[in-house]
Amino acid sequence: MTEAEVMAVLATVNDPEIPVLSIVELGIVEQVRCRTDGVDVFLLPTFAGCPALELIRRAVVSALQAAGAPQVAVTFLTAPAWTTDRITQQGLDALSSFGIAAPGDAAPACPYCQSTQTRRESAFGPTLCRQVYYCDSCHQPFERMKPLTMAVKVR
Ligand SMILES: [Zn+2]
């Protein structure tokens, strides 16, 4: 397999927390390395506390093995730190269509009506990665990815 083929397979592996987003769109694929007998994949862990890393690892291994890579090694790197800035534009669009506002510092625009009359309802969403917001314009709650710009530790 070539590295481009590996990336194409990884683009089909979705984030378990946000199924509309592939791990490539999420920006956690730091490097792939092709060997004659297999593939090394280097990923960046996203949110501290997200229990998704093992699920991601298993999904990557099975997707690549299904595509014909005999041996797949997945390594989570501790550096560089993953930040929400690494999410691709395609990923941000996918988030928005899933009803999740993109991370950022300013008040997020409502993914349903684009109003910026929004406020944070709760610091904790359904997962540690997300926050719940409320739109004062169309009266819909929505979620936003928690902005993350600091380093995360791997336990
Ligand atoms: Zn709205």
Side-chain angles (χ1 to χ4, degrees), residues 74-137:
V74 177
T75 306
F76 284 99
L77 301 173
T78 52
W82 179 85
T83 68
T84 43
D85 294 340
R86 294 178 63 102
I87 301 173
T88 65
Q89 186 57 48
Q90 213 181 351
L92 293 174
D93 294 344
L95 277 179
S96 175
S97 64
F98 192 52
I100 298 179
D105 294 327
C110 169
Y112 304 109
C113 72
Q114 310 307 322
S115 165
T116 52
Q117 300 300 309
T118 57
R119 58 193 155 83
R120 190 193 297 181
E121 191 86 314
S122 150
F124 296 98
T127 73
L128 290 171
C129 316
R130 298 193 237 160
Q131 297 168 322
V132 176
Y133 277 74
Y134 185 79
C135 175
D136 284 329
S137 182

Side-chain angles (χ1 to χ4, degrees), residues 34-95:
C34 297
R35 294 179 273 109
T36 46
D37 59 341
V39 180
D40 291 319
V41 179
F42 296 91
L43 302 178
L44 305 178
T46 54
F47 300 94
C50 267
L53 296 185
E54 181 58 23
L55 290 174
I56 292 175
R57 195 187 67 75
R58 271 187 257 162
V60 165
V61 170
S62 65
L64 284 171
Q65 283 180 338
Q71 285 185 31
V72 182
V74 177
T75 306
F76 284 99
L77 301 173
T78 52
W82 179 85
T83 68
T84 43
D85 294 340
R86 294 178 63 102
I87 301 173
T88 65
Q89 186 57 48
Q90 213 181 351
L92 293 174
D93 294 344
L95 277 179

